């Protein structure tokens, strides 16, 4: 008998399949706007110089490779709490917030999902439609009831009224996942007045927010992007936040992130953290150390921290300039108004509003690769290629 004979095949990640097609395309004019990593003007996903310097320091000074605890490096945890919540946040003094280091933001989401399943039985989790596809699969795998609230209307605009309307009908106690900034895949972010309205509904319906914070520094700035997280942490006694250092520290493959919990008081936080450590023990035992050590080294050294903050700002500005540049390049085609949303969106991603058929034509006729939903990774564009891209869009676009 074969143990494995009945095992079938599942489809691969469609975005990675797109990358294979891009690599095989011989057209020298090709453009990859698919995979969601930051790229510089040379098309490279760089290692920030501050990270290189911190690694050099660690090579010389790291004393041991023995296990770190279930919550990871406490120094990393403290610095990350300061980065996310603000260094002078009174919650840090009260001991009502804690960070559990995880393998990337993905690990934090998985730990959050397992925590909800184990400790808050019966709660559903509400995701924006659309959201990052891995949200769907992680929480389904955790055994949670996965539900959706509307986010983008048929006219490719953020539909705040539909979002609020749906949240009003979410069963009390359910978890609602919100993107702190740079919404993936759409690039549409809530304005401060929208966040306040969402907060009111969260309070009235007694919902538990889980805020996914994967792009701190890529929207409007490191502190600006944390505004909603800090508002929710100040206004609500209980909150979950997943933080990723993949994009803003360029540490993608080092798997660096944390699940941040804000509890009613320091005593309850200790209970919750005991649960998290027990769950993490079964998932990865203790988290990978290197990326967190790099982050702790950078955030603990004023000079490295300043250098790093400048590097994040440069990445942010490059993407923002490309957004404006694309809209400007569409002016001669009479399409600047139709695509004005590209400049208003935040972060690396843009829901362009192009249809699956138009995306297909972009790829076949111009070797421009987008996800079929019409999501473009703006960081994949190059300034000197914006005219080519604008011409390609104008050729396939019919409203
Ligand atoms: N959340 C969102 C919305 C993301 O886009 C990503 C990365 N693509 C993550 C979480 C997880 O990032 P990582 O696990 O690489 O830190």
């Amino acid at each position: 008998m074969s143990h494995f004979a009945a095992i079938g095949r599942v489809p691969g990640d469609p975005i990675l399949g797109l990358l294979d097609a891009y690599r095989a395309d011989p057209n020298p004019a090709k453009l990859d706007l698919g995979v969601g990593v930051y790229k510089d003007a040379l098309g490279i996903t760089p290692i920030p110089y501050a990270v290189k310097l911190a690694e050099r320091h660690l090579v010389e000074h790291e004393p041991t490779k023995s296990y770190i605890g279930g919550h990871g490096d406490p120094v990393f945890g403290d610095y990350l709490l300061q980065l996310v919540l603000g260094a002078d946040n009174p919650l840090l003094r009260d001991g009502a917030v804690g960070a559990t280091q995880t393998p990337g933001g993905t690990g934090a989401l998985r730990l959050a999902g397992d925590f909800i399943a184990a400790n808050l039985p019966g709660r559903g989790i509400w995701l924006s439609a659309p959201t990052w596809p891995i949200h769907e699969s992680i929480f389904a795998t955790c055994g949670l009831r996965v539900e959706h609230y509307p986010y983008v209307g048929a006219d490719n605009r953020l539909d705040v009224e539909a979002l609020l309307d749906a949240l009003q009908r979410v069963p009390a106690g359910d978890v609602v996942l919100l993107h702190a900034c740079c919404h993936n895949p759409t690039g549409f972010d809530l304005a401060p007045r929208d966040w306040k309205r969402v907060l009111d509904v969260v309070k009235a319906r007694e919902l538990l927010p889980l805020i996914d914070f994967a792009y701190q520094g890529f929207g409007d700035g490191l502190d600006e992007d944390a505004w909603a997280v800090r508002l929710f942490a100040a206004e609500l006694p209980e909150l979950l936040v997943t933080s990723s250092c993949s994009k803003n520290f360029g540490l993608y493959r080092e798997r660096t992130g944390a699940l941040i919990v804000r509890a009613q008081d320091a005593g309850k936080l200790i209970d919750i953290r005991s649960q998290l450590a027990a769950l993490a023990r079964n998932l990865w035992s203790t988290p990978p150390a290197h990326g967190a050590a790099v982050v702790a080294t950078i955030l603990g050294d004023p000079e490295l921290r300043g250098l790093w903050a400048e590097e994040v700002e440069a990445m942010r500005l490059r993407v923002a300039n490309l957004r404006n540049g694309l809209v400007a390049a569409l002016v001669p085609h009479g399409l600047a108004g139709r695509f004005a949303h590209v400049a208003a969106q935040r972060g690396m991603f843009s829901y362009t509003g192009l249809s699956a058929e138009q995306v297909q034509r972009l790829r076949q006729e111009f070797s421009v690769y987008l996800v079929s939903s019409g999501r473009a990774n703006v960081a994949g564009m190059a300034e000197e290629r914006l005219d080519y891209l604008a011409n390609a869009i104008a050729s396939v676009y019919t409203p």
Side-chain angles (χ1 to χ4, degrees):
M1 145 177 137
S2 163
H3 294 290
F4 299 154
I7 299 174
R9 204 174 290 182
V10 292
D13 186 324
I15 301 183
L16 296 182
L18 194 69
L19 186 63
D20 290 339
Y22 171 80
R23 286 194 177 129
D25 188 336
N27 183 353
K30 64 187 177 181
L31 261 180
D32 171 22
L33 308 184
V35 180
V37 297
Y38 175 80
K39 293 186 203 168
D40 65 14
L42 302 173
I44 291 166
T45 303
I47 304 172
Y49 191 50
V51 167
K52 278 287 185 206
L53 293 175
E55 288 185 313
R56 196 175 292 165
H57 176 87
L58 286 170
V59 166
E60 297 297 330
H61 298 286
E62 191 175 44
T64 179
K65 294 282 188 192
S66 180
Y67 297 119
I68 49 177
H71 294 287
D73 174 3
V75 179
F76 163 79
D78 285 348
Y79 282 129
L80 198 72
L81 285 174
Q82 291 179 26
L83 184 67
V84 169
L85 295 172
D88 53 0
N89 194 315
L91 290 170
L92 302 184
R93 280 199 315 272
D94 300 346
V97 287
T100 296
Q101 186 186 318
T102 55
T106 306
L109 288 160
R110 176 60 198 249
L111 184 59
D114 278 0
F115 170 73
I116 296 162
N119 293 281
L120 306 173
R123 310 292 183 94
I125 186 160
W126 293 74
L127 311 176
S128 61
T131 192
W132 183 45
I134 312 302
H135 285 149
E136 312 273 358
S137 54
I138 287 181
F139 297 117
T141 302
C142 294
L144 300 181
R145 172 170 47 86
V146 177
E147 313 255 19
H148 298 93
Y149 58 83
Y151 196 71
V152 174
D155 55 353
N156 196 38
R157 271 173 220 271
L158 176 63
D159 193 344
V160 181
E161 299 311 321
L163 153 72
L164 290 165
D165 192 49
L167 290 188
Q168 301 274 12
R169 284 177 278 114
V170 170
D174 271 8
V175 180
V176 52
L177 188 145
L178 301 159
H179 298 226
C181 66
C182 309
H183 184 271
N184 183 5
T186 68
F188 288 115
D189 282 351
L190 298 175
R193 64 180 177 281
D194 302 328
W195 277 109
K196 286 184 181 155
R197 294 174 72 196
V198 170
L199 178 63
D200 288 342
V201 180
V202 162
K203 283 180 180 170
R205 300 287 314 147
E206 297 185 295
L207 309 178
L208 173 63
L210 163 54
I211 305 187
D212 185 355
F213 202 5
Y215 297 93
Q216 185 173 5
F218 273 71
D220 290 311
L222 285 165
D223 282 316
E224 291 83 347
D225 291 348
W227 182 85
V229 174
R230 293 174 189 177
L231 174 75
F232 273 50
E235 291 277 328
L236 297 169
E238 294 169 328
L239 175 70
L240 300 172
V241 180
T242 56
S243 165
S244 166
C245 302
S246 300
K247 314 289 176 341
N248 52 11
F249 285 88
L251 283 168
Y252 305 84
R253 66 173 66 166
E254 300 295 352
R255 313 308 301 130
T256 312
L259 172 59
I260 294 173
V261 179
R262 191 257 198 257
Q264 193 116 32
D265 55 47
K268 186 46 65 187
L269 185 73
I270 293 172
D271 297 341
I272 293 167
R273 283 170 68 77
S274 73
Q275 299 285 348
L276 295 178
L279 292 166
R281 186 80 178 98
N282 285 341
L283 288 168
W284 46 74
S285 186
T286 62
H290 179 72
V294 168
V295 170
T297 304
I298 292 173
L299 295 182
D301 179 304
E303 227 167 275
L304 281 183
R305 188 194 178 101
L307 172 62
W308 166 73
E310 278 173 26
E311 293 186 274
V312 180
E313 183 62 4
M315 290 194 273
R316 186 185 81 76
L317 284 176
R318 176 178 139 71
V319 176
N321 289 338
L322 287 168
R323 287 185 177 281
N324 293 328
L326 179 60
V327 177
L330 285 162
V331 170
H333 302 280
L335 288 176
R338 300 292 309 192
F339 286 87
H341 57 273
V342 174
Q345 292 161 336
R346 286 289 177 272
M348 292 201 296
F349 302 119
S350 170
Y351 240 36
T352 55
L354 294 169
S355 68
E357 196 206 341
Q358 290 161 350
V359 167
Q360 173 107 344
R361 283 191 58 202
L362 276 180
R363 180 168 151 184
Q364 282 166 350
E365 296 170 31
F366 296 93
S367 297
V368 172
Y369 290 75
L370 262 71
V371 185
S372 60
S373 62
R375 185 194 88 166
N377 175 11
V378 179
M381 299 174 190
E383 186 134 14
E384 66 280 6
R385 304 296 312 286
L386 287 175
D387 288 336
Y388 176 82
L389 179 60
N391 179 52
I393 290 174
S395 305
V396 303
Y397 183 72
T398 41

